[in-house]
Amino acid sequence: HFDEVIAAIDKMISTLSAEEATDLQTKEMCEKDRAGDTRDAILASRAIDEHTEAVAVLQTKIEELTKEIAAKEELVAEINQQLKEAEVQREKENTEYLKAKKDDEDAAALLEQAKGVMESFYSENGLMLVQHKGRGPFQSVAGQAPPPPPATWEGGYSGKTAESTGIVAVLGLIHEDI
């Protein structure tokens, strides 16, 4: 009986020794896998931290660029408003210019017409005088005596005919100014 018990105990010891070796191999493999997984987890954790930091930096950059875009859009809107105001101002000034130009052209035409009427009236009524060109301004020459003064009366009295050429000349000057 004891032999059977001893044989069963020996068999049990050999089975346990075999299981111990298998368990030891399994334990070493598990520890090795666990160490690898821990290393992988650490590397993954570092990568996550780096990516999180990159995301934070990029989000900050996005916020800065968004603010810059908003400022640029506001500037563009302001410039567009100024362009609209300038366009309205130019249109207003152009309208005023065209009106003033038309007024000037109408005034010039009216002056030409008035000058023509005045010239025809004075010429039909024999009131036009021939304008005498003056001698020009006095110019002295060193060592010579000045010329005699001009005569105050040339010919007989002809009324106020000199004013007729004067008004026509004034109308001509006004026309030139317009």
Side-chain angles (χ1 to χ4, degrees):
H1 261 351
F2 283 113
D3 286 335
E4 286 179 14
V5 171
I6 291 180
I9 289 177
D10 286 338
K11 186 178 174 185
M12 219 192 249
I13 288 178
S14 73
T15 303
L16 287 175
S17 292
E19 284 180 5
E20 179 184 11
T22 304
D23 285 347
L24 195 56
Q25 285 177 347
T26 304
K27 178 185 171 192
E28 287 175 3
M29 190 172 69
C30 284
E31 286 176 355
K32 183 179 174 185
D33 287 345
R34 193 172 86 198
D37 290 344
T38 301
R39 191 174 340 102
D40 290 344
I42 289 171
L43 292 175
S45 176
R46 284 185 191 157
I48 289 171
D49 290 343
E50 290 172 359
H51 291 302
T52 301
E53 186 176 323
V55 166
V57 168
L58 291 175
Q59 284 177 337
T60 302
K61 185 75 173 178
I62 288 171
E63 289 174 5
E64 290 172 2
L65 291 175
T66 302
K67 288 178 184 176
E68 187 177 334
I69 287 171
K72 300 282 184 186
E73 287 175 345
E74 186 175 310
L75 182 62
V76 166
E78 184 178 318
I79 290 171
N80 285 336
Q81 180 63 31
Q82 290 174 353
L83 285 173
K84 287 179 184 176
E85 290 172 1
E87 184 178 345
V88 167
Q89 180 67 24
R90 280 192 299 270
E91 288 175 2
K92 178 183 172 189
E93 289 173 356
N94 187 34
T95 302
E96 290 172 359
Y97 166 76
L98 292 175
K99 183 180 181 301
K101 182 179 175 186
K102 183 179 180 322
D103 289 347
D104 288 348
E105 289 170 351
D106 291 347
L110 183 62
L111 281 172
E112 274 298 310
Q113 182 182 7
K115 182 179 171 186
V117 167
M118 296 287 284
E119 286 175 343
S120 66
F121 173 77
Y122 286 120
S123 108
E124 288 171 5
N125 292 314
L127 299 174
M128 291 295 281
L129 288 180
V130 177
Q131 293 189 3
H132 298 289
K133 294 220 178 216
R135 295 183 194 159
F138 171 73
Q139 295 179 353
S140 66
V141 179
Q144 292 184 0
T152 54
W153 297 100
E154 292 179 15
Y157 179 71
S158 59
K160 293 187 173 184
T161 57
E163 281 84 20
S164 67
T165 58
I167 191 68
V168 172
V170 169
L171 288 175
L173 289 174
I174 292 173
H175 181 264
E176 288 175 10
D177 286 345
I178 294 178

